Structure formats: structure tokens, C-alpha cells
């Protein structure tokens, strides 16, 4: 119950007047998942310039830096394979491009299919969005959170744009929560924590028992 209340309180301050009064600082903090991307293994397929796909994942406050962008190469399609350094509950996505035909028109999300290729995009995505042109990076596309509550790898496929030969993206924002993925270590810690109090209990009870008898 307490967790729910906390989550709601945090959510309400991100929307509306409070965020505007804070100058968007709260909102920017919500888009921090780019820090949880495993950049060594991040892939962008059909990018014209190698490594440019990684540039679009950055701080929300820096989304206006138009020197950093990715452009598609052979046709209008782009496919991002995004591994995270833990488990992510993905809540929303922002896609920012030019106010012209190069802006992607559709976005398809796939969860937990590492190393996707364009062949793999024939399968049914976990969620599809029709995109509006968003040259300022303000439009947020909310995910079906139940479907994206345990994501260690996210693939984003942009199959088409608004009519240009190539697709151009300046910024992709990812909003959500991140948890560390070391399940094994957690188990060990829990075991030790539950074992110790039991030891103490025995020590305390035993002397009293002898004393009474």
C-alpha cells in the first residue's frame, strides 16, 4: 500500500503545473533510462554513419542538440537493439525528428529479443504506435506497462516515415524504472539475513530454559 501511494505522489508531481514551475527538471529526471543502456552492445541497423544510432539516446534536456542524429541508409527503415544493464519497467517513449518527410511515421516495440534483424520484424510486435511529427521532443507515447514490466532488451523498429527516402531521428527518450539484475547475489544476501536472527534467538532462549528447569 505504501509503495503505491509513493508511486502516485511521484507521478502527480511530474504532470502539469509542478513540472512547469520546476522548469522541466522533474520531467527530465523521469527520462533517465538512457543511462541504463549497455552501450557496448547497442545496435542500430541500417544507420548511414556507424555509431550514430547510439547518439540519439541522451539526456532529455539535451534533446535539442541537432548535431547528434541518426539517418537511415538504404531505405527508410531503422532498427534499434537496446540491451539494458538490468531489468526495466518501460513506461513511455519520445521520438523526435525533423518537421518533414524524414520523421518516422510508425514505431514498433519488441521486448527481450536480443540481436533482432530486419527479418525478425515480420513477427507481431508487443506494441505499435502511429507517430506524429515531433520536432521538439514533447510527445510521449505511453507503453502498455504490464507488457513492458520486465524488459532487459528492447528493440525499436521504425518501418516507415512521412514520405522521404531516408529517416532521420534526433532523439529517442525512454521513461521507466530500472532494477539491478543480479538475482543470484540477492538470494545469497536474503539467506544470510534470515539465518542470523534465528541464531540469536536460540542463544537467548536456551539460557532462560535452563534457568527455569
Amino acid at each position: 500500500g505504501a509503495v503505491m501511494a509513493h508511486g502516485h505522489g511521484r507521478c502527480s508531481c511530474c504532470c502539469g503545473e509542478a513540472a512547469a514551475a520546476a522548469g522541466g527538471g522533474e520531467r527530465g529526471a523521469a527520462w533517465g533510462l538512457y543511462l541504463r543502456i549497455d552501450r557496448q552492445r547497442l545496435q542500430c541497423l541500417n544507420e548511414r554513419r556507424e555509431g550514430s544510432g547510439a547518439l540519439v539516446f541522451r539526456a532529455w534536456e539535451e534533446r535539442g542538440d541537432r548535431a547528434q542524429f541518426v539517418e537511415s541508409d538504404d531505405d527508410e527503415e531503422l532498427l534499434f537493439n537496446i540491451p539494458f544493464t538490468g531489468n526495466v519497467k518501460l513506461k513511455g517513449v519520445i521520438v523526435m525528428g525533423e518537421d518533414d518527410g524524414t520523421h518516422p511515421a510508425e514505431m514498433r516495440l519488441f521486448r527481450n529479443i536480443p540481436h533482432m534483424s530486419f527479418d525478425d520484424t515480420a513477427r507481431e510486435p508487443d506494441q505499435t504506435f502511429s507517430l506524429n511529427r515531433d520536432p521538439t521532443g514533447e510527445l510521449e507515447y505511453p507503453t502498455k506497462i504490464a507488457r513492458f514490466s520486465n524488459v532487459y532488451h528492447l528493440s525499436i523498429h521504425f518501418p516507415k516515415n512521412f514520405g522521404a527516402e531516408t529517416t532521420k531521428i534526433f532523439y529517442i527518450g525512454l521513461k521507466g524504472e530500472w532494477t539491478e539484475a543480479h538475482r543470484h547475489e540477492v538470494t545469497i544476501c536474503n539467506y544470510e539475513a534470515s539465518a542470523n536472527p534465528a541464531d540469536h534467538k536460540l542463544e537467548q532462549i536456551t539460557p532462560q530454559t535452563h534457568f527455569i528447569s
Side-chain angles (χ1 to χ4, degrees):
V3 178
M4 291 286 287
H6 176 69
H8 182 73
R10 199 172 51 202
C11 176
S12 60
C13 76
C14 291
C15 324
E17 295 81 15
E26 276 291 326
R27 180 161 186 202
W31 296 90
L33 274 187
Y34 72 97
L35 295 167
R36 306 302 188 181
I37 294 172
D38 182 348
R39 301 230 166 216
Q40 300 299 312
R41 298 190 297 127
L42 175 72
Q43 286 179 313
C44 178
L45 306 188
N46 198 33
E47 59 183 8
R48 177 170 293 183
R49 211 170 65 245
E50 197 179 335
S52 56
L55 301 175
V56 303
F57 299 98
R58 56 185 189 269
W60 188 76
E61 293 82 5
E62 293 168 22
R63 68 193 186 286
D65 179 359
R66 301 187 94 75
Q68 301 192 63
F69 64 88
V70 61
E71 189 171 0
S72 63
D73 193 15
D74 295 332
D75 53 26
E76 74 275 26
E77 283 190 88
L78 280 169
L79 175 62
F80 291 87
N81 280 316
I82 308 158
F84 294 106
T85 58
N87 289 321
V88 163
K89 180 188 283 187
L90 185 68
K91 297 181 174 180
V93 183
I94 288 177
V95 180
M96 176 180 152
E98 293 277 23
D99 198 4
D100 62 17
T102 64
H103 194 294
E106 189 180 298
M107 171 172 67
R108 305 165 78 233
L109 302 183
F110 300 85
R111 67 184 170 87
N112 301 343
I113 311 172
H115 311 297
M116 272 187 78
S117 67
F118 283 109
D119 292 342
D120 298 322
T121 60
R123 66 202 294 167
E124 189 67 30
D126 289 294
Q127 197 169 354
T128 303
F129 299 88
S130 290
L131 302 181
N132 294 305
R133 289 196 188 103
D134 184 13
T136 53
E138 297 290 336
L139 297 176
E140 180 179 332
Y141 298 94
T143 60
K144 296 171 180 162
I145 295 176
R147 207 170 275 186
F148 293 94
S149 63
N150 197 4
V151 180
Y152 59 85
H153 185 283
L154 177 70
S155 298
I156 308 180
H157 178 219
F158 296 101
K160 59 188 183 199
N161 58 24
F162 285 97
E165 283 183 23
T166 60
T167 296
K168 206 170 178 182
I169 298 173
F170 288 99
Y171 168 80
I172 297 177
L174 301 174
K175 181 169 85 170
E177 296 168 14
W178 175 87
T179 48
E180 221 160 331
H182 300 302
R183 288 192 201 86
H184 187 63
E185 287 171 32
V186 171
T187 319
I188 294 167
C189 297
N190 288 349
Y191 173 74
E192 287 173 359
S194 56
N196 288 342
D199 296 344
H200 292 306
K201 216 177 260 173
L202 279 172
E203 286 164 19
Q204 285 162 0
I205 293 167
T206 317
Q208 291 175 331
T209 316
H210 286 310
F211 182 71
I212 290 164
S213 65

